[in-house]
Amino acid sequence: MPNYINRTIEKLIEQMHGKFPAIMISGARQAGKSTVLQYIAAISRTEIKEVSLDDLNERDLAQTDPELFLRVHGTPLIIDEFQYAPGLLSYIKIAIDKARKDALFGSGKSAGTLYYLTGSQVFETIEGLTESLAGRIGIIDLHPLSMREICAKQEDIFVPDIQKLVSKSKVEYGGMLSLFERIFRGSYPELYRDRDMPLEVFFSSYVRTYIERDVRRIINIQDEPKFMKFISAMAARTGQEFNATDIAKDIEVSADTVSKWTSVLTNTYIIHLLQPHSNNNIARIIKRPKIYFMDTGLACYLTGYVSGETLMRSAYSGQIFETYVVSEIVKSYTNNGKDPKKHLYYYRDSNGKEIDLLVVNGDEIYPVEIKKSANPKKDAVKHFSLVDKFEMASPNGIVICLTEEVHALDKKNYMLPIEYI
């Protein structure tokens, strides 16, 4: 596969192979779920068959006679977009239990991994999986490409330990304009396989397909133009706190509708909601999450930007820069099989004191600020002492910015070039 970009989760799939009879990769449309499994199949010593439930004939068979569907295709088998036939899960469980029984009392041969599933919705998908295949399935989330994957650099979870960070290999952007062109382009694999693909054509088709196949399956949209206004309003607020009432006023729907639609965006991997960190020592913390689009190219399309240069010079540039940084850090966790919701938070209290990102690693906590500046001032870290309230060790803090080299701001805090994330 000469145009294939290797994904960090390949290592994770290899680790899970054979340990779980079924492996599920869930993520946004066009994130590369099917492609990574096709790559695994291509390099596997064992033939792995593949079927997509986007094929209406295959979908009909899977829905009307799931037992026959599984018997026809055999194992090991990749089932793409399996959420179209959730009834398959019960029959997959039967097949797995039969193979396990044979391994114990029959041939003695390990069942191995029998099924690889992909899906672009979390709602009924994960609920059905946990009920039907508990203890039998390993679940992996996949977002669009990270910059480290694009640049073929090793990708580990991002921990702001300055001593470890400076030993990482840097990615190269080639200047501020090149960085914003990258942010403007986004990270969907198709845009890197075909660099001549017009971005507007890709994203307009993406949004239309997303609404028709994912959104309509989850909720009954009475007013599609209002949903488009909603998703655009969310894109305009990326990097900001989620306030359902404010958004509802802008698009003239109820706050309950906004909350319901936000759940759709979250559970189809379009956005990540960064939660505030708190403990018993902090009584006046803001409890609203912050919105981050997981693809900056999609956010730029929805907000009407037409080029990386226009984006770089706009009032939107600071929040989209922050969105890019946070989304890359989130990917570093999911790509390595870690739940970002257990490690990544932010801080803001009712006095307006805020820290963009808090990274929790074991019993340590790291404050992080994100600045679209080449030379942030010392006041960028003025709230970092607030982490003392969490009663956790805090080895250092960092300011991720456009500086060219790592510089100390004081004895404990550092400026870090974006190339190190």
Side-chain angles (χ1 to χ4, degrees):
M1 302 176 72
N3 295 323
Y4 177 70
I5 296 174
N6 285 98
R7 307 302 298 266
T8 303
I9 69 160
E10 292 164 21
K11 178 176 63 177
L12 189 58
I13 295 171
E14 183 179 351
Q15 292 169 353
M16 297 170 79
H17 179 77
K19 296 181 176 64
F20 291 94
I23 295 173
M24 161 74 176
I25 301 180
S26 190
R29 286 195 174 274
Q30 298 288 316
K33 305 181 297 296
S34 303
T35 306
V36 73
L37 287 179
Q38 288 167 357
Y39 174 76
I40 296 295
I43 64 172
S44 174
R45 295 179 181 177
T46 305
E47 181 185 2
I48 303 176
K49 301 172 184 177
E50 179 187 4
V51 60
S52 174
L53 298 191
D54 276 331
D55 183 317
L56 295 180
N57 291 325
E58 295 287 3
R59 186 189 305 181
D60 180 64
L61 180 59
Q63 291 173 338
T64 57
D65 197 339
E67 184 178 13
L68 177 60
F69 173 87
L70 294 179
R71 194 184 314 139
V72 165
H73 292 292
T75 59
L77 176 66
I78 297 169
I79 306 176
D80 193 24
E81 301 295 355
F82 87 97
Q83 75 269 5
Y84 289 122
L88 274 175
L89 294 176
S90 297
Y91 292 87
I92 288 174
K93 176 182 180 294
I94 292 169
I96 287 172
D97 289 349
K98 182 179 179 181
R100 280 180 162 180
K101 184 177 179 180
D102 184 57
L104 284 172
F105 306 113
S107 67
K109 184 179 178 182
S110 172
T113 298
L114 303 176
Y115 297 101
Y116 300 85
L117 313 176
T118 78
S120 31
Q121 299 170 18
V122 178
F123 281 94
E124 67 259 31
T125 304
I126 297 301
E127 183 179 351
L129 285 170
T130 53
E131 290 178 358
S132 301
L133 297 179
R136 302 170 178 84
I137 189 163
I139 301 174
I140 301 170
D141 288 340
L142 181 66
H143 293 290
L145 294 165
S146 69
M147 189 60 180
R148 288 195 165 265
E149 289 174 327
I150 292 168
C151 295
K153 301 285 186 180
Q154 180 174 326
E155 182 178 37
D156 300 313
I157 62 169
F158 180 82
V159 178
D161 182 329
I162 195 66
Q163 302 303 323
K164 294 178 180 178
L165 281 174
V166 294
S167 66
K168 289 178 69 173
S169 60
K170 296 166 63 175
V171 299
E172 300 297 335
Y173 289 101
M176 187 172 176
L177 178 58
S178 294
L179 167 63
F180 272 88
E181 286 174 343
R182 158 73 179 90
I183 291 172
F184 177 73
R185 187 173 195 82
S187 53
Y188 285 102
E190 184 60 30
L191 297 176
Y192 291 85
R193 283 194 289 269
D194 182 0
R195 298 228 175 214
D196 295 326
M197 169 77 73
L199 297 186
E200 185 172 356
V201 171
F202 174 83
F203 284 114
S204 63
S205 299
Y206 184 90
V207 170
R208 184 170 64 250
T209 302
Y210 168 66
I211 290 175
E212 290 175 355
R213 295 193 180 184
D214 288 340
V215 177
R216 288 192 182 282
R217 179 174 169 79
I218 298 168
I219 56 174
N220 178 24
I221 303 178
Q222 301 293 333
D223 193 336
E224 187 174 308
K226 281 195 174 178
F227 186 85
M228 280 302 305
K229 287 179 67 176
F230 158 74
I231 191 174
S232 297
M234 291 289 280
R237 289 167 171 79
T238 187
Q240 299 180 6
E241 287 177 25
F242 172 67
N243 188 316
T245 302
D246 285 351
I247 298 169
K249 288 179 181 177
D250 285 352
I251 62 174
E252 299 178 331
V253 298
S254 70
D256 285 345
T257 296
V258 167
S259 295
K260 183 178 180 180
W261 288 355
T262 300
S263 182
V264 172
L265 296 187
T266 304
N267 286 284
T268 52
Y269 300 89
I270 298 297
I271 63 171
H272 176 82
L273 293 179
L274 186 71
Q275 300 296 330
H277 195 291
S278 64
N279 67 6
N280 293 333
N281 295 332
I282 303 174
R284 302 182 67 189
I285 195 165
I286 299 297
K287 296 182 179 180
R288 292 189 294 266
K290 290 175 73 174
I291 305 161
Y292 288 100
F293 265 65
M294 286 307 298
D295 184 76
T296 52
L298 178 59
C300 291
Y301 167 76
L302 290 168
T303 48
Y305 286 93
V306 296
S307 72
E309 184 173 4
T310 304
L311 176 67
M312 181 181 68
R313 302 182 188 282
S314 72
Y316 190 61
S317 62
Q319 66 189 87
I320 199 68
F321 177 77
E322 180 179 331
T323 297
Y324 174 72
V325 171
V326 172
S327 66
E328 287 291 301
I329 292 173
V330 169
K331 290 173 190 177
S332 81
Y333 281 82
T334 55
N335 288 347
N336 284 281
K338 303 291 185 182
D339 184 354
K341 293 178 182 177
K342 295 181 179 179
H343 297 274
L344 305 177
Y345 305 88
Y346 84 102
Y347 177 92
R348 186 164 187 246
D349 60 29
S350 56
N351 295 319
K353 295 178 180 178
E354 182 174 359
I355 301 173
D356 289 337
L357 187 66
L358 296 172
V359 180
V360 176
N361 185 48
D363 59 358
E364 296 177 336
I365 188 166
Y366 296 84
V368 178
E369 277 293 302
I370 303 166
K371 300 291 184 185
K372 194 204 78 174
S373 168
N375 188 29
K377 306 303 179 185
K378 285 189 176 181
D379 66 357
V381 301
K382 63 184 178 182
H383 296 147
F384 280 10
S385 62
L386 292 170
V387 299
D388 295 340
K389 296 181 180 181
F390 295 108
E391 299 180 341
M392 300 172 70
S394 181
N396 64 261
I398 61 170
V399 180
I400 299 172
C401 57
L402 299 175
T403 185
E404 293 184 358
E405 301 292 339
V406 175
H407 294 290
L409 283 164
D410 54 37
K411 292 182 179 180
K412 194 176 179 180
N413 301 300
Y414 300 84
M415 291 189 289
L416 183 80
I418 189 175
E419 287 86 352
Y420 282 101
I421 66 169

